[in-house]
Structure formats: C-alpha cells, structure tokens
Amino acid sequence: MIIDADIYRACDKQLPGTEVLKGARRTMVDAMAQSHQHVADVTITEEASLDNWSAKEDISVRLIQAVVYACEQEPALNAWFDADTMTRCVHSNVNIGVAVDSKHGLYVPVLRHADDVSAKGVRKWLDDTVAGIRERKIGREQLQHATITLSNFGAIGGIFATPVVSPPQVAIVGAGRLIERVVIREGKPVAIKVMPLSMTFDHRACTGGEAARFIKALVNDLER
C-alpha cells in the first residue's frame, strides 16, 4: 500500500540532472530576488567612441578608472540607500564591485578605495582576484562593501543590457562588446569603434538628471 510518507520521500529525491544551488549560485539567487522586490530600477544607455584609444588599451582598467571619474563628478550614484529608514549614504571613496563569471557561479569581488589605486595597481588586483576565484581562494570579506558595481559582460557577448542593482547600492554599470558605428565626418562616412554602455539605477535614490550626468561623465572619460 502506498501512503503519504512514500509520496513525500519520492518527491524529496533529487532528479537526475538537478542540483541544489549552493555557494555563489545560492548567493546570486538571494541577491537577485532582493533586488527584484525592493529596487525601482531604470536603465539608461549610451555609447562611448574609442577613436582616441591606442591599440594597447586595457579595457577593464579603463572602465574602472572611468567609473571612478564618473563617481567623482556625480557622487549620487556612488551611494547606499535604506528604504526602511529613508536614508541615503553618499560615499566619499569608491569601492567598485567587479562582476566575475566563473564555472562556480557569479562572484563580485570589491576593489576598495579604487580612487586611490593606479592603473598598474588595478591590473594587478584584477589578475590576482580572478586567479583567486578560479582556485576558490577568495574570502567573504573580499565580496563585501561595494558602493557601485561594474559588469563587463561584453567580454563574453552582448551589446546592451539591463544590469541588476544589488541593494544597498543604487547603481550598476554594464559594458557591452565593442562594435563599429558609421559616423559622418566632413561629409564622408567613417567607421569607428564604440563601447555600448548600460547603467541601471534605483530611481528611489537617484534622479534621472543625476544618472544622465553620471553616464555622460563616464563617456567623457572613456573617450579620452
């Protein structure tokens, strides 16, 4: 005779090909659910011309430096927001969370005081951090206290996106893959490389004007 307990035991058995999410993937589930429930998200997009870049530019380093510059020009996006207490904390230092894809899941290590780190220091931090993630030797403290996040998803694929803000942060910048655009110069069509940019912000804590000024500053720095 089949009884209730038999049915519950059968339901509890893990089906072939399924897995219980743990570690980074479990953390991602919680973070994305929290964002979906609590953030009034708006995405703004732009393109940065890379016509002035040299062939040896380090894209990741330039992106981090551009985010730092934009935070300095429009600090409202480098902030935390607490809806329960209706308080906003605008940070004087820039702690950038950099999204890193791995076979173990999504990690977002934090480059603290990025505004005080040189280009060489940023590259060393990136290399050491990615190696640590691959070897699963990254500590929890290295994943905390970001004030803004950067996702260079274009290194894998994609042009524009709607990146997800991770509370209590109020903004995340996404960079798509480099593409060619045709522009008119002196009456003639010219092909140039551009970087598509997508930024999602929490409209509860930031105005549209603040977001627009931020992404304009981001573009200006990338076009140097």
Side-chain angles (χ1 to χ4, degrees):
M1 184 172 74
I2 298 173
I3 61 175
D4 289 355
D6 298 318
I7 296 172
Y8 291 134
R9 274 196 296 271
C11 287
D12 287 340
K13 288 182 179 178
Q14 193 166 311
L15 298 175
T18 65
E19 61 174 324
V20 176
L21 296 184
K22 300 177 181 178
R25 293 188 186 277
R26 184 68 167 263
T27 300
M28 182 177 68
V29 170
D30 296 336
M32 296 303 103
Q34 184 182 9
S35 178
H36 179 70
Q37 292 171 7
H38 299 293
V39 175
D41 55 317
V42 177
T43 300
I44 183 172
T45 61
E46 255 290 4
E47 291 181 348
S49 167
L50 308 185
D51 217 24
N52 295 323
W53 279 26
S54 71
K56 297 180 180 180
E57 291 284 4
D58 189 321
I59 296 175
S60 296
V61 171
R62 283 298 302 267
L63 275 167
I64 289 174
Q65 291 179 322
V67 171
V68 169
Y69 175 79
C71 286
E72 291 171 344
Q73 302 307 305
E74 185 50 78
L77 281 295
N78 184 45
W80 288 345
F81 176 65
D82 186 336
D84 292 333
T85 60
M86 292 299 289
T87 56
R88 182 181 67 151
C89 175
V90 178
H91 297 278
S92 56
N93 292 111
V94 185
N95 296 343
I96 300 181
V98 181
V100 178
D101 180 64
S102 79
K103 64 180 181 180
H104 309 299
L106 175 67
Y107 288 83
V108 189
V110 180
L111 174 58
R112 300 189 184 184
H113 297 275
D115 43 321
D116 294 329
V117 182
S118 66
K120 287 184 178 179
V122 172
R123 171 40 59 193
K124 184 179 186 306
W125 178 85
L126 285 169
D127 292 341
D128 292 346
T129 301
V130 170
I133 289 172
R134 288 174 179 167
E135 297 168 8
R136 305 191 78 171
K137 293 180 179 178
I138 188 165
R140 181 181 295 274
E141 70 282 354
Q142 295 172 266
L143 308 173
Q144 297 175 335
H145 308 301
T147 58
I148 190 168
T149 296
L150 168 66
S151 174
N152 184 15
F153 60 84
I156 302 173
I159 300 174
F160 291 103
T162 53
V164 179
V165 176
S166 179
Q169 297 168 55
V170 301
I172 176 173
V173 175
R177 65 178 172 83
L178 307 189
I179 57 176
E180 282 195 330
R181 288 275 190 248
V182 176
V183 298
I184 303 299
R185 287 183 179 165
E186 298 179 357
K188 297 180 181 179
V190 179
I192 63 171
K193 277 190 176 180
V194 300
M195 177 186 290
L197 299 165
S198 306
M199 184 183 75
T200 300
F201 64 99
D202 189 341
H203 213 329
R204 300 174 306 167
C206 309
T207 68
E210 289 167 338
R213 284 189 289 272
F214 181 95
I215 203 165
K216 181 180 179 181
L218 186 73
V219 169
N220 288 343
D221 193 72
L222 287 170
E223 289 186 343
R224 287 189 295 108

